[in-house]
Amino acid sequence: MDDIAAYNIPVFNFPNSEDEDDEETVEENAELRAMMPFAVVGCEEVINEDGRPVRVRSYPWGVVQVDNDEHSDFDRLRYVLLNSHIGDLRDLTQNDIYELYRTEKLSGNTIAGAAANDAASAQQSMSSQPRAVAV
């Protein structure tokens, strides 16, 4: 988490409001904050283990099971994103991320817009300067 803070990487802060949430939600959020950053392993293949399919990622030293809580936080993170905190995700997306994007687009203060403005001013200043012609 030190690197995340040092590089100013925005992360979702699980709410810590005992006044607004019930005791169970407060405990869940405290547990989730303690788990951060999440360790998520992607799946490359499916193997049969004891007659059931298991999603795994193979390494030279062994196999990591994507759905095994001892190997990866994938199941927990999926539950958080798609069930327990879906409302928070929607609100954050609508109120913060989309509104910031919309404001930047409407005001023209985007990286692409700034680069286009810089290029236009550079071209205009070059066209106003006399040019030397080689013969």
Side-chain angles (χ1 to χ4, degrees):
M1 291 301 291
D2 294 336
D3 286 339
I4 290 172
Y7 291 105
N8 296 322
I9 298 171
V11 296
F12 179 74
N13 293 317
F14 293 98
N16 189 20
S17 175
E18 294 181 12
D19 299 336
E20 295 178 16
D21 295 325
D22 58 37
E23 186 176 320
E24 184 179 323
T25 303
V26 171
E27 288 176 15
E28 180 185 17
N29 287 342
E31 180 184 326
L32 291 169
R33 276 192 302 279
M35 291 175 67
M36 289 176 64
F38 294 99
V40 178
V41 179
C43 177
E44 290 186 341
E45 60 186 287
V46 177
I47 62 171
N48 283 323
E49 185 173 287
D50 298 330
R52 62 180 180 87
V54 178
R55 297 183 304 160
V56 299
R57 183 172 195 133
S58 297
Y59 291 99
W61 45 265
V63 174
V64 176
Q65 297 176 356
V66 174
D67 298 318
N68 186 337
D69 291 339
E70 294 178 10
H71 297 182
S72 172
D73 295 327
F74 178 77
D75 277 342
R76 183 64 177 196
L77 188 58
R78 179 176 50 193
Y79 174 78
V80 167
L81 290 175
L82 300 177
N83 293 308
S84 67
H85 288 77
I86 188 73
D88 294 333
L89 179 62
R90 285 181 181 152
D91 291 343
L92 176 70
T93 303
Q94 175 66 35
N95 299 333
D96 295 347
I97 298 171
Y98 174 71
E99 288 301 325
L100 177 63
Y101 167 80
R102 184 175 172 269
T103 302
E104 286 178 354
K105 285 295 186 183
L106 289 173
S107 67
N109 291 337
T110 61
I111 294 171
N117 290 339
D118 290 345
S121 357
Q123 185 177 11
Q124 184 179 15
S125 69
M126 287 177 60
S127 64
S128 63
Q129 296 176 354
R131 297 184 192 196
V133 179
V135 186

